[in-house]
Amino acid sequence: MPLMDLLVPDLVEPLLTGDFGRPYVYEAACDSTQRMLDASLPEGAVAVCDVQTAGRGRIGRTWEAPAGTAILCSLLLRPPAGRRAAELSLLGGLAAAEAVEHATGLAAQIKWPNDVMLNRRKVGGVLAETAGDAVVLGIGLNVNQSREELPTGARVPAGSLYATDSIRRERAPLLADLLARLETAYRRWQLAGLDAVYDELGSRDFLRGRRVYLDGAEGIGVGIDRSGRFEVALPGRRRVVESGEIAYER
Ligand code: BTN
């Protein structure tokens, strides 16, 4: 791993522009950044590792990336009472998609509820876990993995920024940009809920208009609704999905 591309505090903290990322809790290696944040830390605290030995995905899955290739971070948030924590997955996905677009100049999408897609491949994932009244929002973003280094056999094919455009990137500026974008989206969401970011979300909705499969039935993805659920048009009826995953035609 080139020294210049570690996510050590000395390289990342000078690039931070807001409150997210303070304090910046870094370990070169950890089991999962989801386990590094003490609930007594202030909102905006972030945990970062250059490699995880037991990275966690949604629905009991694992999340793997070779050392020094990805952004692996977890953020401590204390959302206002009454807001659905699940919406934070969408905010994380939106901020990651925007950061990917800024870095690559390519359009990125959000595959409900938590995947960041680039060129039809999953380059990032978001995991929201509650801890008392706090939420630990984990984001994994595949930056510099070669094709050979990406996991195979996933239901949604994995990608990375490097595998998409053959450009190796420093991760520190990308992480700082991601945190700044997430803070902006979060502040807007605190004030006005998902409506505040709905246009940005809707315009990146990967499943909208796609053929999808739900409990054995075939339908068309209508889109993410204003409360963060996903609406599917099935023959003769509409269904709103609260959580889980939606299979789609590749
Ligand atoms: C998913 O798509 O299933 C969510 C993946 C979330 C992975 C990130 S990597 C940083 C943080 N630490 C973890 O153990 N998981 C999340």
Side-chain angles (χ1 to χ4, degrees):
M1 185 184 330
L3 184 62
M4 283 313 289
D5 194 36
L6 292 172
L7 292 176
V8 291
D10 280 358
L11 290 182
V12 178
E13 281 174 342
L15 305 176
L16 298 175
T17 54
D19 291 335
F20 280 17
R22 302 177 205 278
Y24 185 84
V25 183
Y26 171 81
E27 286 176 24
C30 67
D31 53 2
S32 163
T33 56
Q34 291 293 99
R35 292 161 52 89
M36 281 170 59
L37 293 170
D38 189 290
S40 64
L41 288 169
E43 180 168 77
V46 72
V48 174
C49 274
D50 276 304
V51 67
Q52 295 184 130
T53 53
R56 303 209 291 250
R58 282 177 70 243
I59 334 177
R61 295 180 184 143
T62 57
W63 185 266
E64 289 169 15
T69 59
I71 288 176
L72 309 165
C73 68
S74 299
L75 189 73
L76 188 74
L77 297 172
R78 289 201 181 77
R83 289 267 155 72
R84 290 176 71 233
E87 294 178 9
L88 291 172
S89 284
L90 292 169
L91 291 192
L94 174 61
E98 288 177 344
V100 166
E101 289 175 355
H102 183 71
T104 63
L106 302 171
Q109 292 82 35
I110 298 141
K111 180 180 157 291
W112 185 92
N114 77 317
D115 296 342
V116 183
M117 307 291 290
L118 187 65
N119 271 5
R120 296 175 147 251
R121 290 181 172 267
K122 174 169 173 169
V123 297
V126 184
L127 175 67
E129 295 180 311
T130 46
D133 60 354
V135 173
V136 178
L137 190 69
I139 302 180
L141 187 59
N142 296 335
V143 182
N144 287 326
Q145 288 102 318
S146 63
R147 268 181 220 291
E148 300 70 43
E149 289 174 320
L150 291 165
T152 52
R155 284 154 59 117
V156 181
S160 73
L161 274 55
Y162 175 71
T164 305
D165 64 7
S166 305
I167 296 173
R168 289 216 194 269
R169 294 180 168 81
E170 285 181 33
R171 290 170 301 145
L174 194 48
L175 172 58
D177 187 46
L178 169 63
L179 292 173
R181 290 176 189 279
L182 188 51
E183 184 163 358
T184 302
Y186 182 72
R187 299 286 177 230
R188 291 167 61 194
W189 176 81
Q190 272 183 318
L191 292 175
L194 213 55
D195 267 346
V197 295
Y198 190 72
D199 288 350
E200 291 91 331
L201 207 52
S203 62
R204 294 180 175 84
D205 188 342
F206 179 82
L207 292 174
R208 176 181 288 173
R210 277 186 206 273
R211 194 172 300 281
V212 297
Y213 305 95
L214 211 56
D215 301 333
E218 192 178 302
I220 298 292
V222 175
I224 301 168
D225 73 12
R226 289 197 171 260
S227 54
R229 297 160 175 98
F230 194 83
E231 191 176 339
V232 175
L234 294 168
R237 69 195 169 105
R238 296 223 165 181
R239 213 176 117 187
V240 173
V241 186
E242 296 260 346
S243 62
E245 207 166 57
I246 295 178
Y248 65 99
E249 184 179 66
R250 287 212 229 147

